[in-house]
Amino acid sequence: MQKAGETDVPRSATPHVVSARDRKYDRQLRLWAANGQAALEEAHVVLLTASAAGAETLKNLVLPGTGSFTVVDDKLTTEEDVDVNFFLDESSIGHPRAAKVAEFLQELNTDSVGRFESLTLSEFDKLDPSYWEKYSLVVAHQIRPSVLLPISKVLWDKKIPLVIINSIGFYARLRIVTPEHTVVESHPESTVDLRLDCPWPELERFAFGIELDGLSEMDHAHVPYLALLLIYLKQWKDAHGGSPPSTYAEKKEFKALIKTGVRSSDAENFDEAINTVWRATQATTIPSNSQAILNDDRAQNLSPSTSKFWILARAISDFTKSPSSGGHLPLSGTLPDMKADTTSYIKLQSIYRSKALEDRDWVASRVSELLLSLGRPADAISSDEVDTFCKFSRNLVVFDGRSLEEEYTPSTARAKKILQELEEENSLMSVYVGFRAVEVFEEREKRYPGTVEEVDEDEKVLKEIALEIVGSLGGTEVNERTASVLKEFVRYGGGELHNISSLLGGIAAQEIVKLITRQYVPMTNTTIFDGIQSSSAVWEL
Amino acid sequence: MTAMESSPTRKVALKRILSRPGPFVDELNPEAYEFLSNMKILVIGAGGLGCEILKNLALSGFTDIHVIDMDTIDISNLNRQFLFRPSDVGKPKALVAAEFVMKRVKGVTITPYYGKIQDKDESYYSQFGIVVCGLDSVEARRWINATLVDMVDAENPESLKPLIDGGTEGFKGQARVILPTLTSCYECSLDMLGTQQTFPICTIANTPRLPEHCIEWALALEWPKRFPDKKIDNDNPDHIQWLFETAIARASEFSIDGVTYSLTQGVAKNIIPAIASTNAIVAASCCSEALKIATSCNPYLNNYMMYSGNDSVYTYTFEHQKKEDCPVCGVVASDFWIEQDWTLGLLMEKLTTTQAVRIKSPSLRTAEKNLYLQSPPQLEEATRPNLSKLVTDLVKTGEEVSVTDPALPFSIKLRIRY
Ligand SMILES: [Zn+2]
């Protein structure tokens, strides 16, 4: 029974239809949008070694809809595997791990296509390099360096990112190996770029067209603070031979000047203006990060095979040198919210947007010219891509990776950094050295340290190996902290703890999503997680 | 002992760690493995974090796990809540999750409860050794936190139940260990929560600028006007559609662009982005701490870890300090400064928006009188005239006001100052 006065919500004649797919992925589309999702759906990720950490990594990629995945492994499932890996069960024991893990992962999402291959480690180097071309990214868990280094070389040459994961006891390690990674949509905290120090004519006309004195109380309290700043900046400059407030004292005085304009207690817009004085009087410049990218050889010397990123960077570089830019980057066009009446705000917003559009058009036509000169179709880069690039031109990211070989060769290793870090209290670099030492131990003994009943000998051998590693980098000793970490490694006997493998799988998947979608900023290039201290460190090694 | 526990070939890696001394622990607990498998552990929430937590605990040697959740499965859960399949949509999360994990992991018993945490009392909570919380509701966490703090009996060490709490938002999250009454509690850190996005009513009504303002207008002003007797149901597509169309009309009237269906849904439901990987990180961190607390195999987190993956990989681990004036675990009332011209109504409004208070429908009383009570109706009516009176006429400076909310099992003591 309806209560009196209760009305039914009318059913719309043209309801908005959300597809089942968009509903399923709603919570992630809010992070990486349709273009990020499309990149994910095109990706094919391969996992080498069907460990718990590897399966957990894939789980976090299959759920959001990564297009395809392949599990490569040559082992039969053991009880020990089932004890730590959720994507195996009692019935898997004795059956190929790759098949079982792929099967259980496949159940998570039918949008993702899973496969498996039984390849033994020794077969990897016999593979034709073209084998890897079907993959967009390779995840490798705990593969001994003698096998992994050659694979990493092939992948490096083919520019296929390699993500290495290691999980032993409470310790985890993640390494990203890729020669170059570029990001346009870095999702910075803000893309606001106000240009109050160098307003263009339309913006000035808007601000100077406002007669503050003639406004009603209500209108006066709704003048956007940007306009207030421009008005008072002009007043200041007129009184100071054309120069803006620059010293601390002058800025204080300038704030006082703005304050003289306050009429009523409701002056939120004036408060906003005063709070923005510091930023408003900063000169608009090109951030050094972006400038370095514009100046980079890859942008300045284009070739027919140059990627879109560098062609766009070149167009932006040309833009900043053109008279129409005044030496600035294209305007982002983003206007923050502020106390204002609707009409002024919308007007101001359209002034910023038109200017951004104007800058964008310049860049777009330059991009077409560059493409033609490289013998590529003038529309090979879409206008959306130009748009996004212009919008984020202050926040571009380029990482030049370091190869695994560079890390593992003493003459090119970051020796100084490593030795320095080892001296820090509770250093996580000790865990890194521990992982390296365990790798060598396993390579020599064909078993992990601590897998025997009597561990004293393993502890001794592992410490000797660590000393070899530290020694090769120019160090002279294995300090107390590192010795403790090595003992802890022996305690683990090379086994995985599910929690730590799951945590590592989470971190690895976040990084992989960032690499594949080319959104957000991935870490470079090594993360260590210490589950005892519950803390992490990142270094470029 | 079950056959599984006695099998020397099972849980080898875990037993190895528990049976060997380590350089970072003083003493080895020889019964750690037995203790772990006999401990009852409670998981609150079977959603994004909860699915992960159940899996992790089952693979960490816990064999007697309980789980509470009041929700049913929605299609938008499937991108991360990996124990659920499309055919499970509409079923209770706690039941489906428990069944799935038990089927997959041998030797584990999971007892589900489909309902609210508030349905249970101290006698229920006191049976557990540890409580792990994977909730997205601030209110529910405040409730369980206050309940566990209240349960502590200084004479009985068993009454102290470690509470491990996780939370995520997008690529970010946090895990923390709360030892009720000993460390800072959930309430102590309420002011660390991100500010709730709120828009002043006058902006929404008179000077909209953003698409969000138009949606809020449809939601907060137009809906109650148009359907005075109907509560909005965020899961009803007709309702969301109505909001969307109403917001669109408002936006075009003011030449504001950017109102989309997805944004309308986001604002109306206060949707927080959520992904599988972040849940994995935070849940695993919580469970790793549970394992360490249950077995003493390594020192546990003291007491807070923040994770952020937006820009590189970043963690910040620190000891969050207990607040002296925490309304739950503190000992003194906290000062609340007001302006001379505030009415009681304005004070109420400020309380609902203050970070450290965050209360939805406050009732206020001093030791002597009721200032404003939300219920019962006759007392509400009797105290309503106070709303327009000045606080300074009702409360002396320095006087203590107790603030209660039906959703919270405790009262907040504020010392009003002016
Ligand atoms: Zn507290």
Side-chain angles (χ1 to χ4, degrees):
Chain A
M1 271 288 283
Q2 275 199 355
K3 277 185 280 174
E6 189 165 318
T7 350
D8 260 340
V9 179
R11 182 153 289 175
S12 169
T14 50
H16 181 91
V17 180
V18 186
S19 68
R21 191 190 199 78
D22 281 358
R23 278 193 289 156
K24 179 160 99 180
Y25 295 133
D26 179 82
R27 299 302 185 271
Q28 68 200 44
L29 288 169
R30 291 170 194 275
L31 288 175
W32 54 69
N35 60 335
Q37 187 63 25
L40 209 52
E41 289 175 9
E42 272 166 34
H44 185 172
V45 175
V46 61
L47 168 67
L48 311 182
T49 310
S51 61
E56 290 289 316
T57 305
L58 281 190
K59 174 200 75 192
N60 301 325
L61 295 171
V62 171
L63 284 166
T66 298
S68 341
F69 67 94
T70 299
V71 180
V72 176
D73 195 281
D74 67 333
K75 300 275 190 318
L76 298 182
T77 308
T78 64
E79 290 182 328
E80 199 170 344
D81 295 331
V82 174
D83 286 337
V84 291
N85 193 333
F86 193 73
F87 298 96
L88 292 169
D89 72 3
E90 297 300 316
S91 72
S92 316
I93 295 169
H95 298 281
R97 268 201 319 201
K100 287 292 163 187
V101 166
E103 182 188 322
F104 279 143
L105 283 170
Q106 178 68 78
E107 288 176 2
L108 299 177
N109 192 349
T110 46
D111 296 343
S112 202
V113 180
R115 301 180 186 82
F116 67 91
E117 278 180 47
S118 289
L119 275 175
T120 50
L121 291 181
S122 57
E123 285 171 309
F124 279 149
D125 62 340
K126 296 194 194 77
L127 290 172
D128 189 86
S130 66
Y131 165 82
W132 301 100
E133 285 165 7
K134 57 179 174 277
Y135 302 126
S136 29
L137 188 140
V138 179
V139 183
H141 181 245
Q142 225 117 303
I143 293 179
R144 53 177 76 118
S146 63
V147 176
L148 192 55
L149 275 160
I151 296 174
S152 81
K153 262 192 222 172
V154 174
L155 297 175
W156 181 271
D157 290 341
K158 296 188 176 294
K159 299 190 168 63
I160 299 169
L162 167 65
V163 173
I164 302 166
I165 53 178
N166 298 85
S167 170
I168 299 180
F170 280 98
Y171 295 136
R173 171 191 180 198
L174 174 68
R175 166 73 151 98
I176 296 173
V177 191
T178 187
E180 177 192 292
H181 183 71
T182 56
V183 187
V184 182
E185 288 175 81
S186 54
H187 295 264
E189 294 277 319
S190 156
T191 53
V192 170
D193 179 10
L194 297 178
R195 308 271 168 107
L196 293 178
D197 62 319
C198 49
W200 58 100
E202 291 80 5
L203 183 57
E204 284 190 321
R205 249 197 309 280
F206 170 80
F208 302 152
I210 299 171
E211 290 287 348
L212 284 177
D213 292 338
L215 295 178
S216 71
E217 189 103 328
M218 177 76 173
D219 290 343
H220 193 260
H222 283 88
V223 176
Y225 81 81
L226 289 193
L228 291 177
L229 279 170
L230 287 168
I231 292 168
Y232 286 104
L233 261 176
K234 181 165 186 299
Q235 247 186 56
W236 173 279
K237 283 190 196 164
D238 288 349
H240 292 82
S243 25
S246 59
T247 65
Y248 177 76
E250 282 174 347
K251 285 178 190 178
K252 229 174 118 181
E253 213 180 305
F254 180 56
K255 283 186 188 179
L257 172 69
I258 300 175
K259 236 181 199 143
T260 60
V262 175
R263 266 206 240 155
S264 67
S265 61
D266 179 26
E268 212 182 306
N269 51 341
F270 277 82
D271 292 341
E272 287 176 343
I274 289 165
N275 291 337
T276 323
V277 161
W278 187 82
R279 198 168 72 189
T281 49
Q282 290 281 100
T284 302
T285 53
I286 301 178
S288 56
N289 238 1
S290 295
Q291 189 63 66
I293 291 168
L294 305 188
N295 292 347
D296 195 289
D297 260 2
R298 284 164 283 189
Q300 295 306 324
N301 301 312
L302 300 179
S303 78
S305 64
T306 298
S307 68
K308 290 177 180 181
F309 181 92
W310 292 111
I311 297 171
L312 283 157
R314 169 60 179 275
I316 300 277
S317 165
D318 293 349
F319 175 78
T320 62
K321 291 172 190 158
S322 78
S324 55
S325 73
H328 297 303
L329 289 169
L331 190 72
S332 73
T334 312
L335 193 64
D337 187 31
M338 61 191 73
K339 181 82 182 292
D341 58 282
T342 307
T343 322
S344 322
Y345 184 81
I346 299 296
K347 175 79 187 134
L348 200 49
Q349 195 175 43
S350 82
I351 291 170
Y352 273 82
R353 284 193 187 167
S354 315
K355 170 78 171 125
L357 224 59
E358 215 176 275
D359 290 357
R360 199 271 320 261
D361 287 346
W362 194 103
V363 175
S365 78
R366 182 70 189 130
V367 165
S368 304
E369 285 168 23
L370 290 168
L371 284 167
L372 287 174
S373 74
L374 295 169
R376 286 152 76 170
D379 58 357
I381 294 177
S382 74
S383 92
D384 275 355
E385 285 171 295
V386 177
D387 236 22
T388 314
F389 205 90
C390 288
K391 188 168 169 202
F392 292 101
S393 57
R394 295 180 72 78
N395 310 91
L396 301 172
V397 175
V398 172
F399 288 138
D400 289 310
R402 278 172 49 83
S403 70
L404 203 57
E405 220 181 350
E406 284 173 287
E407 180 186 344
Y408 277 63
T409 309
S411 62
T412 49
R414 294 265 198 252
K416 212 174 116 202
K417 176 90 197 146
I418 294 170
L419 296 176
Q420 222 169 15
E421 285 280 342
L422 281 173
E423 297 309 314
E424 300 290 323
E425 203 189 332
N426 294 331
S427 171
L428 298 196
M429 191 57 89
S430 297
V431 180
Y432 170 75
V433 170
F435 270 114
R436 292 282 306 272
V438 168
E439 277 172 3
V440 176
F441 186 106
E442 197 276 339
E443 186 101 54
R444 288 182 192 165
E445 311 281 336
K446 303 289 177 272
R447 67 171 179 88
Y448 282 97
T451 40
V452 289
E453 204 65 38
E454 274 308 311
V455 296
D456 293 358
E457 182 62 19
D458 281 6
E459 279 178 8
K460 201 175 128 242
V461 173
L462 195 62
K463 199 170 168 184
E464 283 164 10
I465 294 172
L467 185 59
E468 283 174 35
I469 294 169
V470 173
S472 77
L473 299 171
T476 51
E477 56 144 21
V478 170
N479 63 20
E480 213 176 299
R481 154 82 184 157
T482 308
S484 295
V485 168
L486 295 171
K487 272 193 178 164
E488 186 72 9
F489 266 110
V490 173
R491 183 186 180 202
Y492 302 147
E496 287 183 85
L497 277 179
H498 180 78
N499 292 323
I500 300 301
S501 288
S502 182
L503 189 143
L504 175 62
I507 301 179
Q510 273 202 0
E511 294 309 305
I512 292 168
V513 165
K514 292 192 258 176
L515 290 169
I516 290 174
T517 59
R518 294 191 173 270
Q519 294 186 35
Y520 299 90
V521 183
M523 69 92 188
T524 48
N525 55 27
T526 299
T527 299
I528 291 287
F529 184 83
D530 175 344
I532 301 168
Q533 303 185 63
S534 193
S535 65
S536 70
V538 172
W539 309 287
E540 194 177 23
L541 297 176
Chain B
M1 268 213 254
T2 65
M4 165 105 159
E5 283 165 57
S6 57
S7 163
T9 56
R10 299 311 294 257
K11 298 271 172 210
V12 175
L14 181 63
K15 285 177 187 164
R16 197 189 282 136
I17 295 176
L18 299 185
S19 64
R20 285 177 176 174
F24 303 108
V25 272
D26 297 332
E27 225 177 307
L28 197 69
N29 174 5
E31 266 117 51
Y33 188 80
E34 261 71 71
F35 191 71
L36 183 63
S37 43
N38 291 329
M39 177 191 275
K40 271 193 191 179
I41 188 164
L42 175 66
V43 179
I44 300 181
L49 285 168
C51 284
E52 289 278 349
I53 292 169
L54 288 171
K55 167 199 67 147
N56 295 345
L57 294 177
L59 290 175
S60 295
F62 291 94
T63 59
D64 190 357
I65 305 169
H66 292 240
V67 59
I68 298 189
D69 194 295
M70 60 182 278
D71 282 341
T72 53
I73 299 160
D74 181 78
I75 184 169
S76 66
N77 301 145
L78 302 180
N79 79 327
R80 60 198 186 282
Q81 300 178 13
F82 62 95
L83 303 175
F84 312 139
R85 303 288 169 263
S87 59
D88 296 323
V89 168
K91 294 181 193 163
K93 288 184 178 180
L95 272 55
V96 177
E99 199 178 317
F100 192 109
V101 175
M102 278 199 284
K103 201 177 126 210
R104 182 66 56 88
V105 184
K106 196 175 126 189
V108 172
T109 308
I110 302 182
T111 313
Y113 174 70
Y114 170 44
K116 290 158 82 173
I117 50 171
Q118 291 87 348
D119 298 347
K120 302 287 187 184
D121 58 13
E122 281 199 13
S123 65
Y124 173 80
Y125 291 108
S126 62
Q127 65 183 310
F128 302 107
I130 296 175
V131 177
V132 189
C133 215
L135 287 163
D136 52 10
S137 149
V138 173
E139 220 163 70
R141 281 145 124 180
R142 289 175 87 174
W143 190 90
I144 187 69
N145 174 67
T147 303
L148 294 181
V149 171
D150 202 45
M151 273 166 54
V152 177
D153 168 5
E155 307 289 302
N156 174 17
E158 290 280 296
S159 67
L160 193 150
K161 314 291 181 189
L163 170 63
I164 305 173
D165 179 67
T168 74
E169 177 171 0
F171 286 92
K172 298 177 180 173
Q174 81 283 334
R176 65 188 296 188
V177 171
I178 295 169
L179 303 177
T181 69
L182 300 181
T183 67
S184 93
C185 78
Y186 185 73
E187 197 73 21
C188 287
S189 60
L190 213 55
D191 53 359
M192 280 172 69
L193 292 175
T195 37
Q196 292 160 299
Q197 175 92 322
T198 51
F199 305 106
I201 289 288
C202 65
T203 298
I204 296 167
N206 306 318
T207 57
R209 298 175 295 268
L210 305 181
E212 288 87 347
H213 294 157
C214 302
I215 299 166
E216 273 295 334
W217 181 79
L219 183 68
L221 299 178
E222 279 305 286
W223 180 276
K225 214 156 101 191
R226 181 74 197 278
F227 311 106
D229 299 315
K230 209 187 267 303
K231 249 189 93 181
I232 193 149
D233 173 7
N234 286 329
D235 295 318
N236 184 329
D238 288 342
H239 291 195
I240 297 286
Q241 180 71 28
W242 185 89
L243 285 182
F244 174 50
E245 286 175 6
T246 309
I248 285 258
R250 172 86 167 166
S252 76
E253 185 188 331
F254 286 93
S255 314
I256 296 168
D257 50 39
V259 173
T260 61
Y261 188 86
S262 165
L263 185 69
T264 306
Q265 231 181 353
V267 171
K269 293 187 174 189
N270 190 20
I271 292 176
I272 293 165
I275 47 174
S277 48
T278 316
N279 283 327
I281 296 165
V282 168
S285 175
C286 290
C287 296
S288 184
E289 297 310 322
L291 176 66
K292 290 190 286 181
I293 290 172
T295 63
S296 311
C297 68
N298 259 324
Y300 54 82
L301 172 64
N302 181 28
N303 50 27
Y304 207 116
M305 181 189 82
M306 293 203 287
Y307 186 91
S308 172
N310 287 45
D311 186 348
S312 187
V313 167
Y314 175 76
T315 57
Y316 177 50
T317 307
F318 66 102
E319 183 178 354
H320 187 269
Q321 297 295 330
K322 222 173 127 103
K323 253 170 69 179
E324 278 275 279
D325 58 0
C326 169
V328 170
C329 73
V331 285
V332 296
S334 59
D335 284 337
F336 195 86
W337 288 91
I338 63 157
E339 301 288 338
Q340 298 274 357
D341 61 353
W342 284 17
T343 59
L344 187 67
L346 183 61
L347 171 64
M348 303 249 305
E349 202 185 308
K350 296 283 180 184
L351 287 177
T352 56
T353 51
T354 300
Q355 277 297 317
V357 181
R358 277 190 183 242
I359 211 157
K360 281 203 186 109
S361 45
S363 290
L364 276 67
R365 52 172 80 81
T366 65
E368 277 143 33
K369 56 179 178 281
N370 292 327
L371 297 174
Y372 180 73
L373 299 184
Q374 307 265 359
S375 64
Q378 56 274 31
L379 282 180
E380 195 279 331
E381 212 182 311
T383 52
R384 200 185 304 153
N386 283 345
L387 290 178
S388 51
K389 291 186 188 160
L390 288 176
V391 180
T392 51
D393 291 340
L394 295 165
V395 185
K396 292 190 286 285
T397 183
E399 197 175 345
E400 220 172 273
V401 169
S402 130
V403 184
T404 53
D405 184 299
L408 299 175
F410 59 92
S411 67
I412 297 173
K413 301 250 184 299
L414 299 176
R415 201 180 298 280
I416 299 295
R417 300 263 183 205
Y418 49 85

